[in-house]
């Protein structure tokens, strides 16, 4: 295994999510500004929020990368140079980009920002990597279509920092180069407006235009990416940064996947191999998203088993029960802000940064004033539950589904 620190890079769809990601173990976060980002529907950051996020991250020894990774049309260029200078002044650690124009602006203005080439550039070979290195790029985010052998060869031949997606949604096309969204809805996927056509259901016809699907149940969506089985392999071949996808996801999702991959990276870094934890980690990750996952291109060329072709079940669950607001040491009670229904007799788990999961049965449930109640059924109501160990603010409570 390479003797270097492996970066865990988490998505931050909002300032709140940025703080959750860092608190739960992310070494760095990536986010989008109001303009120039491929997640137009996320709660993207104003410059003021970016500055607050950078201050919070640096205070906690983490980094902030800002995406400017749209494909620029003529009108999109207006204000870009000013924006990059502002990011540089704020102290943003790097920008993630796909258009070479960003390189020219950064070099012309002697910006301190590191330049990280986005997966949107679809880099799949060492010669392309060498080209971008010569232009001043310090890190390459490889296309999701790279195999283990591709990644290893690129690292061995170039020595550059390589960032790879390790968990999250896949694109039907090559690393986001899709025009289906434009064609069906006039929303430009390469300028932040993807409507995820690949997750629509369609009727299927043969070449004589005879309908051969029973319902509108044919899809072209790939299963989500998960390299949970290959964390050690990626560390061994020298991947510098493990990237999690999900700027549109909830704080529960972000905290969960960050904590799981944080634990796995730390475990392998210490030359440990806890098979029981690995098994639990897989179940936690699956429950968090409720979508089937696959290694996709990492271990082999994906086929039918890595794809959704028919209808699929993606029921949202109610695993996320609440957020710890405080702990009453005298009464041995946790003060919880409710997120989903729970009641006395339920077995729950509280987890948080740098702590073992704690599972127990709720024996006592009261409102804020100490009155017994039969259930926590009202959104965001504040309740108190028995809890024998000290828990901290922003620990999370979920359904216990591992026992």
């Amino acid at each position: 295994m390479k003797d270097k620190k492996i970066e865990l890079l988490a998505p931050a769809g909002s300032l709140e999510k940025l703080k959750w990601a860092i608190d739960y173990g992310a070494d760095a976060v990536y986010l989008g500004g109001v303009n120039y980002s491929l997640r137009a529907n996320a709660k993207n950051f104003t410059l003021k929020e970016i500055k607050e996020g950078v201050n919070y991250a640096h205070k906690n020894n983490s980094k902030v990368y800002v995406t400017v990774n749209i494909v620029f049309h003529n009108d999109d260029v207006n204000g870009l140079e000013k924006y990059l200078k502002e990011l540089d002044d704020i102290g943003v650690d790097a920008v993630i980009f796909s258009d070479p124009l960003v390189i020219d602006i950064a070099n012309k203005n002697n910006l301190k920002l590191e330049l990280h080439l986005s997966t949107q550039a679809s880099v799949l070979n060492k010669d392309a990597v060498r080209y971008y290195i010569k232009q001043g790029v310090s890190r390459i985010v490889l296309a999701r279509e790279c195999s283990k052998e591709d990644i290893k060869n690129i690292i061995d031949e170039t020595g550059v920092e390589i960032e790879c997606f390790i968990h999250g949604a896949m694109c039907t096309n090559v690393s986001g180069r899709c025009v289906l969204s434009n064609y069906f809805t006039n929303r430009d996927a390469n300028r932040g407006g993807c409507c995820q056509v690949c997750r629509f259901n369609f009727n299927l016809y043969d070449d004589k235009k005879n309908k051969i699907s029973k319902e509108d149940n044919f899809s072209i969506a790939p299963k989500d990416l998960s390299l949970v089985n290959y964390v050690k392999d990626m560390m061994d071949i020298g991947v510098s940064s493990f990237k999690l996808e999900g700027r549109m996801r909830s704080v529960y999702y972000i905290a969960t996947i960050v904590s799981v991959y944080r634990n796995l990276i730390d475990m392998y870094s210490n030359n440990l191999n806890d098979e029981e934890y690995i098994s639990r980690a897989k179940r936690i990750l699956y429950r968090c998203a409720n979508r089937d996952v696959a290694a996709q291109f990492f271990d082999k060329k994906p086929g039918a088993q890595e794809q959704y072709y028919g209808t699929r079940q993606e029921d949202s669950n109610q695993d996320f029960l609440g957020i710890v607001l405080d702990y009453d040491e005298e009464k041995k009670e946790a003060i919880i802000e409710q997120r989903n229904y729970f009641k006395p007799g339920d077995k729950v788990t509280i987890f948080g940064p740098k702590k073992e999961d704690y599972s127990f049965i709720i024996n006592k449930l009261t409102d804020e004033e100490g009155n017994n109640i039969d259930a926590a059924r009202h959104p965001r109501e504040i309740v108190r539950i028995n809890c024998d160990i000290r828990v901290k603010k922003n620990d999370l409570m979920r359904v216990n589904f591992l026992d």
Side-chain angles (χ1 to χ4, degrees), residues 73 176-197:
H73 291 224
R177 290 180 173 242
C178 182
V179 296
L180 288 176
S181 181
N182 300 57
Y183 182 80
F184 281 97
T185 69
N186 202 31
R187 288 169 53 182
D188 193 339
N190 298 307
R191 296 166 82 190
C194 182
C195 67
Q196 296 187 316
V197 173

Side-chain angles (χ1 to χ4, degrees), residues 91-290:
V92 167
D93 297 281
V95 289
I96 303 172
F97 74 99
S98 60
D99 196 311
L101 169 65
V102 175
I103 300 177
D104 291 342
I105 293 174
N107 290 339
K108 182 180 76 171
N109 291 280
N110 295 313
L111 301 184
K112 301 182 292 297
L113 292 165
E114 287 188 9
L115 299 176
H116 295 179
L117 186 71
S118 172
T119 191
Q120 290 295 117
S122 304
V123 169
L124 288 155
N125 66 81
K126 60 190 177 184
D127 292 316
V129 170
R130 288 193 180 107
Y131 169 80
Y132 282 108
I133 293 171
K134 289 179 181 178
Q135 310 311 310
V137 175
S138 61
R139 178 185 292 187
I140 307 292
V141 187
L142 291 180
R144 291 173 174 88
E145 294 73 32
C146 277
S147 67
K148 176 182 177 180
E149 289 71 27
D150 291 331
I151 298 168
K152 184 179 187 305
N153 178 260
I154 288 170
I155 292 171
D156 289 346
E157 293 291 328
T158 67
V160 72
E161 282 190 14
I162 292 297
E163 181 180 307
C164 293
F165 281 90
I166 193 170
H167 195 93
M170 288 288 292
C171 183
T172 298
N173 214 303
V174 176
S175 287
R177 290 180 173 242
C178 182
V179 296
L180 288 176
S181 181
N182 300 57
Y183 182 80
F184 281 97
T185 69
N186 202 31
R187 288 169 53 182
D188 193 339
N190 298 307
R191 296 166 82 190
C194 182
C195 67
Q196 296 187 316
V197 173
C198 54
R199 295 196 182 185
F200 291 7
N201 288 332
F202 298 91
N203 291 313
L204 185 63
Y205 297 85
D206 63 18
D207 56 1
K208 295 181 181 180
K209 296 186 178 181
N210 297 312
K211 183 178 177 181
I212 58 177
S213 58
K214 294 180 179 179
E215 302 174 14
D216 57 340
N217 65 354
F218 182 78
S219 65
I220 56 174
K223 294 177 180 178
D224 281 4
L225 172 70
S226 178
L227 294 179
V228 63
N229 291 324
Y230 299 97
V231 171
K232 186 175 185 301
D233 298 72
M234 296 181 74
M235 294 171 72
D236 286 342
I237 64 178
V239 174
S240 299
S241 180
F242 290 179
K243 189 169 195 171
L244 307 173
E245 185 271 341
R247 277 190 273 167
M248 305 288 285
R249 298 282 195 166
S250 68
V251 294
Y252 173 71
Y253 178 88
I254 298 300
T256 299
I257 64 169
V258 169
S259 63
V260 166
Y261 280 104
R262 174 80 278 151
N263 289 337
L264 288 171
I265 292 170
D266 292 347
M267 180 183 73
Y268 290 126
S269 295
N270 291 309
N271 296 314
L272 301 174
N273 190 19
D274 186 339
E275 292 293 341
E276 182 179 352
Y277 178 76
I278 295 170
S279 176
R280 289 174 61 238
K282 292 176 185 177
R283 289 187 63 193
I284 292 169
L285 291 173
Y286 174 77
R287 290 277 298 217
C288 194
N290 270 350

Side-chain angles (χ1 to χ4, degrees), residues 320-335:
F320 179 25
L321 299 179
I323 300 174
V324 175
L325 299 180
D326 205 350
Y327 184 72
D328 188 327
E329 191 77 54
E330 182 180 349
K331 294 183 178 180
K332 299 294 182 184
E333 291 179 346
I335 301 166

